[in-house]
């Protein structure tokens, strides 16, 4: 009776309001929990570390981290600071076309054609008499062209500058860069994107050369000239005899190192005969003085540097 007397239920209303309110509260709690669970699940899915795409595994190291950014950054550095005469090159486009040349493709079946659009886009003229090839003398050749800024190795051109020391590859089954591993000749894959790139740009670099061209060779190796090197396999065969009249070889010996090979050795005779057959004049100098001076800057006390080199 007391319940009846104090009940707030007015006439005609269901006397079950207490239960209904409890049910409402319960429903609210359940709904809130549901929303929380959904938020938690969505957050977990979004935050979960994504496993890298399943690329094929190769023996070489994967694409250089931040490859795209490095390509873009080097392109701007070269075109705005190193050679501002190329300031109108479109670096965004060069980056895009570089990526397109190897992404979504079989990394064991790269071709010269893959790089043609990139080569056209980065097209650059090296003046006659200023081309410097090198083989097993990368550091020395670059020390020399750093001082003699009018001279160009391949790495002193835009494309060589952008790609030097980088590694890259994609995958035919994915449009992503493979940062895990890239194929090399050890994978029985000589047509990998990096080798084909260097073969293609080295060929173009040689085709474009004119006048007197130079090569820095390493006379502290058993064979200063190696037919299997890029210089021996690609560059010398793509010099145009109508444009290039002389190849000047500089055979450099490491300071304090052995003098195993020189201008009179059989490997250099081999080079001379290939060049002469192509109707290009061949000259050779051991320890070309301007380059020797650079070696001596690092070894000023060495007898070969103090007693009139
Ligand atoms: O990485 C470069 N900057 C590079 C690579 C290949 C070729 C530059 N080149 C151009 C340069 F402009 C030089 O004129 O070719 C000439 C040097 O090549 P080289 O083979 O005569 O000289 P090495 O000292 O024997 O090799 C230079 C670099 O190229 C790599 C080698 O591992 C080294 O890092 N290399 C040589 N042949 C191949 C190849 N078939 C190769 N890498 C992949 N596939």
């Amino acid at each position: 009776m007391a319940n009846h007397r104090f009940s707030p239920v007015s006439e005609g209303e269901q006397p079950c309001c207490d239960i209904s309110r409890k049910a409402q509260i319960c429903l609210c709690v359940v709904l809130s929990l549901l929303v929380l669970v959904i938020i938690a699940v969505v957050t977990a899915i979004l935050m979960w570390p994504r496993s890298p795409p399943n690329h094929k595994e190769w023996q070489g190291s994967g694409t250089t981290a931040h490859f795209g950014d490095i390509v873009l950054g080097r392109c701007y550095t070269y075109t705005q600071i190193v050679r501002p005469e190329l300031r109108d090159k479109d670096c965004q486009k060069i980056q895009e076309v570089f990526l397109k040349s190897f992404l979504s493709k079989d990394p064991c079946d790269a071709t010269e054609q893959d790089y043609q659009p990139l080569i056209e886009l980065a097209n650059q003229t090296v003046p006659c008499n200023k081309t410097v090839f090198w083989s097993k003398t990368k550091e020395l050749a670059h020390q020399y062209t750093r001082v003699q800024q009018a001279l160009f190795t391949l790495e002193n051109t835009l494309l060589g500058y952008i790609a030097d020391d980088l590694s890259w590859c994609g995958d035919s089954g994915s449009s992503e860069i493979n940062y895990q591993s890239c194929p090399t000749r050890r994978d029985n894959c000589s047509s990998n994107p990096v080798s084909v790139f260097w073969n293609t740009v080295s060929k173009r670099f040689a085709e474009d050369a004119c006048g007197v061209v130079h090569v820095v060779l390493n006379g502290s190796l058993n064979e200063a000239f190696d037919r299997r090197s890029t210089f021996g396999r690609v560059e010398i065969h793509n010099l145009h005899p109508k444009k290039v009249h002389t190849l000047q070889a500089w055979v450099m010996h490491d300071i304090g190192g052995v003098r195993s090979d020189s201008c009179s050795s059989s490997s250099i005779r081999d080079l001379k005969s290939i060049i002469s057959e192509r109707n290009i004049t061949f000259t050779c100098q051991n320890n070309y003085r301007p380059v020797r001076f650079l070696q001596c800057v690092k070894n000023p006390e060495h007898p070969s540097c103090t007693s009139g080199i």
Side-chain angles (χ1 to χ4, degrees), residues 241-252:
K242 283 198 177 133
K243 291 197 291 173
V244 173
H245 59 81
T246 303
L247 171 69
Q248 248 177 25
W250 299 325
V251 179
M252 305 304 302

Side-chain angles (χ1 to χ4, degrees), residues 134-136 154-155 164 195 198 202 229-231 233 235:
W134 55 268
S135 198
K136 314 273 186 320
L154 178 55
E155 298 72 27
D164 198 23
S195 290
W198 286 114
S202 299
S229 65
T230 311
F231 175 67
R233 220 173 7 92
E235 291 172 332

Side-chain angles (χ1 to χ4, degrees), residues 132-138 142 153-155 160 163-165 185 190 192 194-196 198-199 202 205 226 228-233 235:
V132 177
F133 300 106
W134 55 268
S135 198
K136 314 273 186 320
T137 53
K138 185 176 183 178
H142 289 140
T153 62
L154 178 55
E155 298 72 27
D164 198 23
D165 292 331
R185 284 171 283 177
S190 54
N192 61 72
V194 175
S195 290
V196 171
W198 286 114
N199 285 339
S202 299
F205 185 57
D226 178 358
R228 294 159 305 172
S229 65
T230 311
F231 175 67
R233 220 173 7 92
E235 291 172 332

